[in-house]
Amino acid sequence: MNTAPQPDPKDRPARLTVGVVGAGRVGPALAASLQLAGHRPVAVSGVSEASRRRAAALLPDVPLTTPAEVLRHAELVLLTVPDDALPGLVTGLAETGAVRPGQLLVHTSGRYGARVLDPALRAGALPLALHPAMTFTGTPVDVQRLAGCSFGVTAPEELRLAAEALVIEMGGEPEWIAEDRRPLYHAALALGSNHLITLVAQSMELLRTAGVTAPDRMLGPLLGASLDNALRSGDAALTGPVARGDAGTVAAHIEELRVHAPQAVAGYLAMARATADRALDHGLLKAELAEDLLGVLADGATTATGRTGAGGRTGATGTEGATGTEGATGTDRAPGPDGDPGAEGIDDPEASDDPEGTGEGTDEGTDGGAR
C-alpha cells in the first residue's frame, strides 16, 4: 500500500497525453500505470518484434510509430532506452527539432540524472529522471509490482513536485537522488539485484550437480529468510563458515568448486573475502580464526590465477584438503579442468546496460534494480 504523502491537488500534473520511446520491458509498464491514473497513452515506438508484442499487450490500441512522431503527439514522453543509448537519442531528438517547448521529457535510466537531458532542456523541454528500482518482466505483472516500488528521482528543483507526483500516481515511492550520486545509486542497485540473480542461478546449478531434484524449493525458504534478516539486521545477520572462521570448510568448498564448477571459483573467493572483511569489522569473525581463513582464500586466489603456490598449508584441512600438502596450492594441480591458467570469474549478468537485463536492441528499456 502506498503510504507516501499525497501531493496537494494544485501540484499534481494535469491529465497528459503520454508517449513511449523504446518499448522495452519498462516503458509500456510505466505508460500503463499512468493510464490507470487517468493519463492517456497516445504513441509508442519500438523496433524489435518483442517490443511490438509488449506494446500490444500492455498498451492495446496505442499506435506504433517513430520516435519523432511520439514526441509530436505526446505531452509527457518516456525515454526508456538502454543507458548507453540515451545521450545520443536525446541529442538527436533535440537537433532534429522533435522536442517541443513545455514538453515533459522523462528518462528511466538509473545511471543518469537530469543533466543528460540538457540538449532537450535547451529546446524548451522539462527534464525529469524517474528510475524505478524494480526488475521488469515485460508482462502485465510489472504494473502491479510498481505499487510501493521506490523510484530514484532527479529533476530541477522547480520540477521536483511534478516529478514526485508522477511517481506517486504510478503507485511508487519517490526517493530524491542528487545528480552527482546517480552512478553510485545505480551501482548499489546493480550489486544487490543483478548479482543476486547470478548467485542464485549458480547455487541452483551446484545443487542440481549435488543431486538435489528441486533446488528452487530448497533455496526458497532459505534465501527468503536470509533476505529478510539482511534487510532487518544488516551485517549482524551474517552466518555461515566464513563468518564463523571455519577455514577447513571454506577450503573444502573451494576444492569442490574447482572440480565441479571452476567458473564459480573466482566469484566464491571474492564474496568470501568481502564477507570476511565485514564479519571482522563487526566483531563476528574472531581475529585468531581470521588468519587461517584469509590464508585459505589467498591460496585459492593464487591457484585460480594459475600461479604456483608457496606450498600447502598444514593447519586448515589436513593433508588432503584444499590447503593441505596435496591441496589447491600444490605444484601438481591444474587450476581448471582443461588446464586453463586464468580464472573464469562470475558470469556477466549485464550483457546490456540494464540492471535487470532488457536488451534486445536500442529500443529496449532500462530496468530498475536491476537496471
Side-chain angles (χ1 to χ4, degrees):
M1 182 175 179
N2 187 356
T3 58
Q6 296 297 311
D8 188 280
K10 64 182 175 59
D11 296 323
R12 294 172 67 88
R15 301 307 91 185
L16 301 168
T17 53
V18 179
V20 179
V21 176
R25 298 182 185 180
V26 178
L30 297 187
S33 295
L34 289 168
Q35 186 174 37
L36 291 175
H39 302 285
R40 184 165 62 91
V42 293
V44 181
S45 73
V47 175
S48 70
E49 183 58 35
S51 295
R52 294 171 179 271
R53 287 196 303 269
R54 273 192 290 269
L58 288 164
L59 300 171
D61 302 323
V62 176
L64 281 160
T65 185
T66 65
E69 283 296 299
V70 171
L71 268 70
R72 190 167 76 86
H73 289 95
E75 298 161 317
L76 166 63
V77 179
L78 303 174
L79 302 179
T80 52
V81 298
D83 293 358
D84 288 353
L86 181 62
L89 172 66
V90 175
T91 299
L93 291 172
E95 289 179 348
T96 58
V99 178
R100 293 184 285 114
Q103 193 168 46
L104 282 165
L105 215 56
V106 176
H107 79 71
T108 59
S109 165
R111 171 185 172 187
Y112 292 109
R115 286 181 193 151
V116 72
L117 298 173
D118 277 354
L121 173 65
R122 290 190 289 271
L126 306 177
L128 307 175
L130 307 180
H131 175 251
M134 176 54 62
T135 183
F136 287 79
T137 64
T139 66
V141 71
D142 296 332
V143 179
Q144 301 169 28
R145 286 179 174 174
L146 288 174
C149 166
S150 291
F151 279 65
V153 177
T154 306
E157 187 62 34
E158 61 271 20
L159 295 176
R160 178 168 180 159
L161 288 176
E164 293 178 341
L166 283 171
V167 169
I168 291 170
E169 286 193 325
M170 287 186 280
E173 306 279 357
E175 185 73 39
W176 193 256
I177 308 295
E179 180 79 32
D180 63 352
R181 295 298 176 92
R182 292 288 291 206
L184 178 61
Y185 152 81
H186 194 209
L189 293 180
L191 185 66
S193 175
N194 307 150
H195 298 173
L196 174 63
I197 293 172
T198 301
L199 289 171
V200 173
Q202 286 185 335
S203 180
M204 288 199 294
E205 288 174 358
L206 293 170
L207 287 171
R208 290 189 190 98
T209 302
V212 175
T213 57
D216 54 342
R217 188 168 65 237
M218 177 176 283
L219 284 174
L222 173 64
L223 297 184
S226 295
L227 178 60
D228 183 63
N229 291 342
L231 293 175
R232 291 173 182 272
S233 304
D235 289 294
L238 281 172
T239 62
V242 172
R244 291 192 300 267
D246 290 344
T249 299
V250 172
H253 289 177
I254 296 169
E255 182 70 3
E256 286 299 302
L257 290 175
R258 202 175 304 286
V259 172
H260 297 289
Q263 75 280 1
V265 172
Y268 181 96
L269 291 170
M271 291 304 300
R273 283 192 295 269
T275 300
D277 287 344
R278 301 189 76 89
L280 274 169
D281 289 345
H282 290 80
L284 301 173
L285 174 59
K286 296 178 180 178
E288 59 269 25
L289 298 176
E291 183 178 357
D292 273 349
L293 174 67
L294 295 175
V296 166
L297 298 176
D299 286 348
T302 298
T303 305
T305 56
R307 295 189 297 272
T308 301
R313 293 170 59 83
T314 59
T317 60
T319 59
E320 294 183 6
T323 57
T325 58
E326 296 178 18
T329 58
T331 59
D332 59 344
R333 272 197 71 86
D338 299 314
D340 182 358
E344 294 186 36
I346 300 177
D347 298 336
D348 177 15
E350 296 294 324
S352 67
D353 197 41
D354 342 337
E356 284 70 40
T358 60
E360 296 179 41
T362 57
D363 62 313
E364 300 304 308
T366 59
D367 298 352
R371 280 185 82 63

